[in-house]
Amino acid sequence: VFWMLLLSYFAFVFGFLALTMVSIVVFRRRKGGATGKLYHESVAEVLVNVTQLAWLSVNFISIVLHLGFEDREDEQTPGYARGWVYLCSGEKDKCNETFDALLLVVRIGFGLTIAIWILSCCYLLWLWITPPRFVAQ
């Protein structure tokens, strides 16, 4: 049954649902949550949440890019998915322009996400090196 999640329409739906749920969590925990406030580590929690949201967002754009706009030959597309996969309806040049633009967005997005992750790791290392600020630690 799980192979159905790999089909384009199901991937769009479940990718959008995951992106929506993670966005809600990041919004609700934008101040670090209870544990972040208690241990004075709210910035670290926000950075981790933003990294997760950025990665998921760029992956969702990548799903749209590859399943919707990538030019495929008929031999590369399975028979059951030939009518589902190619969502770009128009001139081939316009679809290729859209594909190139979205590919640039995905590359920049993954680069920014990795930069946020490196920044998060550096900040967590700094927190680990600094002496504890909580009496019970």
Side-chain angles (χ1 to χ4, degrees), residues 110-126:
F110 277 129
L112 288 175
T113 302
I114 291 171
I116 293 170
W117 177 73
I118 290 171
L119 177 70
S120 301
C121 290
C122 292
Y123 183 74
L124 287 172
L125 178 64
W126 179 74

Side-chain angles (χ1 to χ4, degrees), residues 3 6-7 77-84:
W3 64 270
L6 299 175
L7 298 176
T77 306
Y80 62 85
R82 285 201 178 123
W84 291 19

Side-chain angles (χ1 to χ4, degrees), residues 3-59:
W3 64 270
M4 292 177 66
L5 297 178
L6 299 175
L7 298 176
S8 60
Y9 294 132
F10 293 111
F12 290 142
V13 169
F14 285 107
F16 181 74
L17 287 175
L19 187 62
T20 303
M21 286 188 274
V22 169
S23 298
I24 291 169
V25 168
V26 169
F27 179 75
R28 293 189 69 195
R29 295 184 61 94
R30 68 190 177 277
K31 295 188 178 167
T35 58
K37 290 176 187 173
L38 178 67
Y39 293 108
H40 305 287
E41 296 175 346
S42 58
V43 176
E45 285 200 25
V46 169
L47 281 173
V48 169
N49 288 338
V50 166
T51 304
Q52 181 182 11
L53 179 64
W55 189 264
L56 187 60
S57 300
V58 175
N59 271 322

Side-chain angles (χ1 to χ4, degrees), residues 87-103:
L87 299 179
C88 185
S89 59
E91 296 177 17
K92 200 166 206 168
D93 291 338
K94 293 253 184 202
C95 292
N96 287 340
E97 288 176 12
T98 305
F99 178 81
D100 291 340
L102 283 175
L103 185 61

